[in-house]
Amino acid sequence: DKIRQETHSDYLVAKTDLESGLSGVRKALGVLREYYGSAAAAMLQSSSNLADDMKQPALPEAHEKATGAGTSIVGILEVVESDFAK
């Protein structure tokens, strides 16, 4: 009976930690989805001077744009979320 009580109290602590972790992962997913979903729209400004200020230098010829960085992070967190939710 004593072992059962110890096991149950350990379970309750682990369950609380798991629920807290799951909540954090879900919050991170929401923030990242919001950021990557509206990042382009957030950069739009009505000032014509801003466009002149934001001009970038020419890209080096060996440069390749990194694609999917945000989606891969979101994908990893989605896997973590599904594992935690089980």
Side-chain angles (χ1 to χ4, degrees):
D1 192 38
K2 182 178 178 181
I3 295 173
R4 170 73 177 120
Q5 289 175 344
E6 290 175 5
T7 305
H8 182 67
S9 66
D10 290 343
Y11 165 77
L12 291 176
V13 170
K15 182 180 177 190
T16 302
D17 291 344
L18 181 65
E19 289 172 348
S20 177
L22 183 58
S23 173
V25 168
R26 287 181 174 157
K27 185 173 182 176
L29 275 170
V31 168
L32 288 172
R33 285 180 180 146
E34 181 180 327
Y35 173 77
Y36 284 110
S38 65
M43 290 301 294
L44 295 177
Q45 302 287 329
S46 61
S47 171
S48 62
N49 292 337
L50 181 63
D52 293 334
D53 294 339
M54 297 299 291
K55 287 184 181 176
Q56 298 291 320
L59 296 175
E61 291 188 27
H63 177 75
E64 292 182 21
K65 183 178 180 182
T67 57
T71 55
S72 64
I73 293 169
V74 170
I76 290 169
L77 287 176
E78 286 174 343
V79 170
V80 169
E81 178 189 25
S82 70
D83 289 350
F84 277 11
K86 290 180 183 179

